[in-house]
């Protein structure tokens, strides 16, 4: 699955509300602040097939920003992030939900 720039921008905005996120299956992302006083929801073009957690959203975005046209391959306990047309890959482990 390819992640477009719009979705990356949404994730960057969400990281200012809460540094971690639980991504659920579907075409919608949501987050809530730790004090539970800010809630955000956004529709995206991509569709996630499974649920997974990201503990440090800024770290995850830094990994993705270093890759040209990132493509995610979701596994059970981790995802593989690769660049379009490249053989190099990054393994990113999920956090507990």
């Amino acid at each position: 699955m390819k992640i477009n720039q719009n979705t990356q921008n949404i994730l960057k905005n969400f990281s200012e509300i809460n540094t971690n996120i639980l991504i659920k299956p579907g075409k919608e992302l949501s987050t809530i602040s730790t004090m539970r006083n800010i809630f955000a929801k956004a529709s995206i073009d991509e569709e996630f097939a499974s649920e997974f957690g990201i503990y440090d959203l800024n770290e995850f975005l830094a990994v993705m920003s270093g890759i040209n046209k990132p493509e995610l391959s979701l596994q059970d306990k981790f995802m593989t992030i690769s660049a379009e047309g490249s053989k190099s890959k990054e393994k990113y482990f999920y956090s507990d939900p």
Side-chain angles (χ1 to χ4, degrees):
M1 161 183 23
K2 293 183 183 183
I3 302 294
N4 66 28
Q5 190 61 47
N6 185 47
T7 301
Q8 290 180 48
N9 291 340
I10 290 169
L11 289 171
K12 178 65 179 161
N13 287 334
F14 281 11
S15 74
E16 295 177 17
I17 297 170
N18 194 335
T19 57
N20 53 50
I21 190 169
L22 179 64
I23 296 179
K24 297 184 178 183
K27 297 179 89 170
E28 191 171 86
L29 297 174
S30 63
T31 190
I32 191 166
S33 67
T34 53
M35 294 181 64
R36 301 206 177 275
N37 61 346
I38 302 170
F39 178 75
K41 186 188 279 190
S43 295
I44 57 172
D45 296 329
E46 299 86 354
E47 183 169 1
F48 289 100
S50 59
E51 181 177 293
F52 60 93
I54 297 175
Y55 180 73
D56 189 342
L57 198 46
N58 288 315
E59 177 188 69
F60 174 72
L61 292 169
V63 169
M64 287 196 16
S65 71
I67 298 174
N68 184 32
K69 296 182 181 177
E71 189 168 333
L72 307 181
S73 175
L74 304 177
Q75 310 298 323
D76 286 338
K77 298 189 185 263
F78 64 91
M79 72 176 75
T80 304
I81 306 171
S82 59
E84 185 178 59
S86 175
K87 291 183 181 182
S88 66
K89 296 180 180 179
E90 297 284 334
K91 192 181 276 189
Y92 194 90
F93 287 89
Y94 306 138
S95 68
D96 288 334

